[in-house]
Amino acid sequence: MSPHAIIDSHIHLYPRAELHSLRWCKEGHQLYGQHSAQEYLAASRHLDAAPDQKLQGFIFVETDRKSHIRDEVGWDEPLRELDWIKRVAEGTPRPGEGHETQHGRLCLGIVLWAPVPSGAEAMQTFTQKAAARAGSTWQRVKGFRYLVQDKPRGTMLRDAFVEALRWMGHHNYAFDLGVDTRSGGYWQLNEAVEMISRAHEGLSEDQRVTIVISKHSLSDTVLPRQRDQFSRVIDHMGKPDMRSRNTAGNPDAGIFDDWKSGMTKLASFEKTYVKISGAFSEMDALPSQAEQGEQGSLKRQKLLQGTLMWVERWLREILTIFGPERVMFGSDWPVCNVGGGGNDVSWMNWRSAVNEFVRHHLNAEDQARFWSGNAVKAYDLDLLDDSPPV
């Protein structure tokens, strides 16, 4: 793998024809409309002019389609989403869906919705149904997500939820943990710590689930994989409240310390990873390219300098807490358009701000880990070392 390859560890895609299936996206919403591979590549097109970095591919994360866990009927829309991302991965587009045959190689991993609160037996049944529909694309399914940020207290601590996580560890699937400390409260981090502790209890390191930390208000038999463990990936740094400032204009000390304490506890579990993603939607909005006016380039540079100065304290803390071996890049496209300046500039704004930070805080080896290597490790991606970047 190129040391300068970028694996975007967190993007969402959906076609216009299936907007009705999204639980959160109504007509008039800022993200209402098609967001497929063509739109994503257009948003990241500036990388073509960056000789030191090339886009290797992305990890697709489920888009919070309408679902429920009462019975299997509630699985219909998430399974249709699997049908959709299968067409992207296999390069078999339907007319108007916004992707082409060559885009299939970009889809390096898939994180699906799953009925996690229903327990291990439901996970087994769901994955059998999903694997049968996915066919050969199932090998790209690397983990599952069930958003807990808008769920009642105690959801993560129910026995069935913990059993499902232990099941994921047994079958080597990662779990994307979607929490929202700004809107939901810091109790979510504390419950997550207890959840992971219970999910790991009595298991050896190679039997434990990997967690990747995040947020969002966005054959007939499944064979066990070789490694008996699960990864946890924390999306969007746990979605801290980056808008809160004290009278001096600095991050509110109480909020910052609560977030730092929770993230430090989560980092104590070795198989927990965090994504540097999703910050724009937690900050004051940047203007769009049109709003920047004739001196757009100069204004954008000043805005990015201000963004970096503000977010740097949070990024430095994450890097200190988790270390360069467990932090990865994600754009959170197209959600990064909310507050990021719009589709024309948001991906570029976030990548530029993060790139400036890592250049000053990471050596070349750790930069390669951050941009791609840690995503490969956390999600157990199947890549060839010499696979060329797109």
Side-chain angles (χ1 to χ4, degrees):
M1 180 189 302
S2 167
H4 302 294
I6 292 179
I7 294 177
D8 191 339
S9 68
H10 200 106
I11 76 164
H12 307 284
L13 302 175
Y14 46 89
R16 180 177 297 276
E18 298 183 18
L19 287 171
H20 65 279
S21 73
L22 298 172
R23 184 172 64 89
W24 51 273
C25 194
K26 310 298 183 184
E27 190 170 357
H29 192 286
Q30 185 174 346
L31 300 180
Y32 189 85
Q34 180 154 288
H35 291 83
S36 190
Q38 288 177 340
E39 288 80 14
Y40 173 73
L41 288 175
S44 58
R45 64 188 180 276
H46 59 282
L47 280 179
D48 293 338
D52 59 331
Q53 292 180 325
K54 295 294 181 182
L55 182 65
Q56 182 87 14
F58 58 76
I59 295 171
F60 167 84
V61 179
E62 62 92 19
T63 59
D64 195 15
R65 296 207 179 195
K66 296 173 183 175
S67 64
H68 63 75
I69 59 174
R70 295 187 300 273
D71 54 51
E72 294 183 17
V73 174
W75 303 352
D76 287 350
E77 290 299 340
L79 289 173
R80 289 192 185 99
E81 179 168 63
L82 172 60
D83 295 338
W84 143 252
I85 196 60
K86 174 185 176 181
R87 294 195 295 275
V88 175
E90 293 186 349
T92 55
R94 292 176 180 174
E97 283 195 328
H99 58 101
E100 301 173 6
T101 300
Q102 66 269 24
H103 296 156
R105 64 187 301 208
L106 284 170
C107 185
L108 304 178
I110 297 169
V111 175
L112 295 178
W113 176 93
V116 180
S118 297
E121 185 175 347
M123 289 295 299
Q124 180 71 21
T125 302
F126 175 80
T127 50
Q128 286 176 342
K129 289 179 176 291
R133 291 175 76 138
S136 61
T137 298
W138 188 253
Q139 63 185 344
R140 303 198 205 188
V141 175
K142 301 299 182 179
F144 301 100
R145 187 172 80 150
Y146 179 85
L147 288 174
V148 294
Q149 64 183 41
D150 57 349
K151 304 302 187 294
R153 288 175 183 261
T155 298
M156 290 181 270
L157 303 181
R158 294 172 183 166
D159 289 343
F161 202 104
V162 173
E163 289 168 3
L165 295 183
R166 292 169 75 92
W167 181 93
M168 289 183 215
H170 183 69
H171 294 279
N172 192 32
Y173 292 110
F175 178 62
D176 265 52
L177 175 61
V179 296
D180 182 351
T181 57
R182 177 174 63 83
S183 299
Y186 287 90
W187 61 266
Q188 294 185 359
L189 294 183
N190 294 327
E191 282 202 358
V193 171
E194 184 177 349
M195 173 196 74
I196 298 171
S197 179
R198 290 176 57 188
H200 284 182
E201 186 176 4
L203 299 177
S204 61
E205 184 65 22
D206 66 350
Q207 294 176 322
R208 295 173 177 173
V209 64
T210 299
I211 300 284
V212 187
I213 303 179
S214 98
K215 60 94 186 166
H216 270 308
S217 65
L218 257 168
S219 95
D220 293 335
T221 303
V222 181
L223 299 176
R225 303 192 182 187
Q226 290 182 350
R227 288 190 299 146
D228 197 12
Q229 56 194 350
F230 86 80
S231 295
R232 299 158 303 287
V233 183
I234 306 173
D235 298 344
H236 321 314
M237 302 184 288
K239 199 176 181 184
D241 186 355
M242 292 185 173
R243 300 176 191 178
S244 295
R245 296 166 169 83
N246 58 25
T247 55
N250 297 316
D252 182 278
I255 289 175
F256 184 85
D257 290 344
D258 285 345
W259 168 80
K260 176 182 175 180
S261 174
M263 297 302 282
T264 299
K265 292 174 184 176
L266 287 169
S268 68
F269 302 101
E270 292 185 4
K271 297 184 69 177
T272 302
Y273 294 78
V274 65
K275 294 178 183 178
I276 299 296
S277 58
F280 280 148
S281 60
E282 308 312 312
M283 300 170 63
D284 295 330
L286 294 175
S288 67
Q289 198 167 38
E291 292 170 334
Q292 291 175 18
E294 295 180 359
Q295 294 182 321
S297 178
L298 180 59
K299 287 185 177 181
R300 174 178 165 272
Q301 185 177 5
K302 290 182 177 179
L303 286 167
L304 282 177
Q305 288 174 348
T307 299
L308 181 59
M309 288 178 62
W310 181 247
V311 78
E312 184 175 12
R313 184 180 179 188
W314 304 86
L315 297 184
R316 278 193 287 107
E317 206 63 55
I318 279 290
L319 193 59
T320 299
I321 292 170
F322 283 86
E325 300 84 10
R326 292 191 288 157
V327 179
M328 69 185 78
F329 171 76
S331 70
D332 194 26
W333 188 89
V335 183
C336 60
N337 291 339
V338 180
N343 196 53
D344 288 340
V345 295
S346 59
W347 203 104
M348 177 170 56
N349 282 347
W350 182 240
R351 177 261 178 187
S352 297
V354 173
N355 188 52
E356 187 70 14
F357 173 80
V358 300
R359 282 197 312 108
H360 288 91
H361 292 85
L362 296 176
N363 60 35
E365 182 179 1
D366 287 338
Q367 287 184 42
R369 288 193 182 103
F370 173 79
W371 291 113
S372 57
N374 291 339
V376 172
K377 181 180 178 182
Y379 287 106
D380 194 22
L381 299 182
D382 303 313
L383 297 179
L384 297 175
D385 289 341
D386 59 351
S387 58
V390 175

